[in-house]
Amino acid sequence: MNAHHKTDTDIQQELQQIEAAKLNPARFDVLYEKYYKSIFVFIYRRTGNEDSSADIASLVFLKALINIKKYQFKGVPFSAWLFRIAFNEINMYFRKNKAERIISLDKSNLHQIVQEVELEDNSEAEQNMMLALKKLDTDDIQLIEFRFFEKRSFAEIGGIIGITENNAKVKVYRILDKLKKLMCNKNST
């Protein structure tokens, strides 16, 4: 089950934990324990560096703790708020360190994207897809990564990057169209 899809009971329990943390910062530990691993993995998949990922994760939870009183439930789980903080911290890390962004690919992810852009599915198509992905800018790669590599819903993607669910869907499909054009141009040369 995707962490973004929670029952009403889960959401109510989480809201109680958040309210408790707002009143007493020591109660934030429940939320920290619940989400640290997923936030760390999210960061590590982008940096490829364990120490930097741990540092960034620490910043994410420090900022969340400091700003917990400002948190308002907007229909998506608390994790979307944490992922948004992590997303911003990762971007700051890359700007500050001028580091190369890591993209974790696996064959099944490439296969799914090739199918999504409705191209003939073979090893050459997957190879061409890898080349096409390298031509995308960082923001486009980020959206493809969220959708196909991390299997996030459009609502969750929107929550993380601060746009609506429909806007996330439109952006992803525009990127897929761009990939298809890149692949078709590659095949015609």
Side-chain angles (χ1 to χ4, degrees):
M1 181 174 177
N2 184 324
H4 190 68
H5 299 108
K6 296 186 177 205
T7 66
D8 289 338
T9 305
D10 291 339
I11 291 173
Q12 288 306 314
Q13 182 181 14
E14 188 170 79
L15 287 173
Q16 289 172 353
Q17 293 166 341
I18 293 165
E19 290 306 315
K22 284 180 177 182
L23 296 172
N24 179 0
R27 306 284 300 274
F28 187 78
D29 67 331
V30 173
L31 297 165
Y32 175 86
E33 292 295 326
K34 185 175 186 179
Y35 291 113
Y36 181 82
K37 183 177 179 183
S38 60
I39 294 295
F40 177 85
V41 169
F42 176 81
I43 297 165
Y44 182 75
R45 287 188 68 160
R46 286 150 180 82
T47 65
N49 182 298
E50 197 170 328
D51 291 336
S52 294
S53 298
D55 291 345
I56 295 168
S58 295
L59 279 173
V60 168
F61 284 98
L62 176 62
K63 286 188 175 188
L65 177 61
I66 290 169
N67 293 297
I68 190 78
K69 290 184 184 208
K70 296 177 186 175
Y71 174 79
Q72 294 178 349
F73 180 69
K74 295 183 179 175
V76 294
F78 181 71
S79 61
W81 188 64
L82 291 174
F83 282 114
R84 183 167 179 163
I85 295 169
F87 178 75
N88 291 333
E89 289 301 314
I90 292 164
N91 287 338
M92 281 198 285
Y93 166 80
F94 284 116
R95 276 193 302 272
K96 181 179 170 187
N97 297 302
K98 296 178 177 59
E100 287 291 315
R101 191 169 163 351
I102 303 294
I103 301 171
S104 303
L105 297 176
D106 85 27
K107 200 163 179 71
S108 65
N109 300 134
L110 286 175
H111 174 77
Q112 185 181 2
I113 299 171
V114 167
Q115 285 183 322
E116 192 74 33
V117 296
E118 301 169 355
L119 294 171
E120 187 176 327
D121 191 12
N122 57 40
S123 61
E124 185 180 340
E126 290 176 4
Q127 200 66 5
N128 288 338
M129 179 58 73
M130 284 179 37
L131 295 172
L133 285 168
K134 289 180 180 180
K135 293 179 181 179
L136 295 179
D137 65 34
T138 305
D139 291 340
D140 290 351
I141 287 288
Q142 184 74 52
L143 288 167
I144 292 296
E145 211 170 22
F146 283 147
R147 182 69 182 158
F148 295 100
F149 304 155
E150 297 178 5
K151 311 290 187 227
R152 296 187 186 279
S153 69
F154 290 114
E156 190 174 13
I157 294 168
I160 292 170
I161 63 173
I163 60 176
T164 66
E165 178 178 356
N166 283 341
N167 197 354
K169 188 181 288 188
V170 167
K171 285 179 178 277
V172 167
Y173 283 107
R174 283 184 181 156
I175 296 165
L176 290 173
D177 285 343
K178 187 187 296 185
L179 283 170
K180 187 172 187 173
K181 287 175 186 164
L182 287 169
M183 301 261 308
C184 289
N185 288 342
K186 170 74 176 144
N187 291 335
S188 65
T189 56

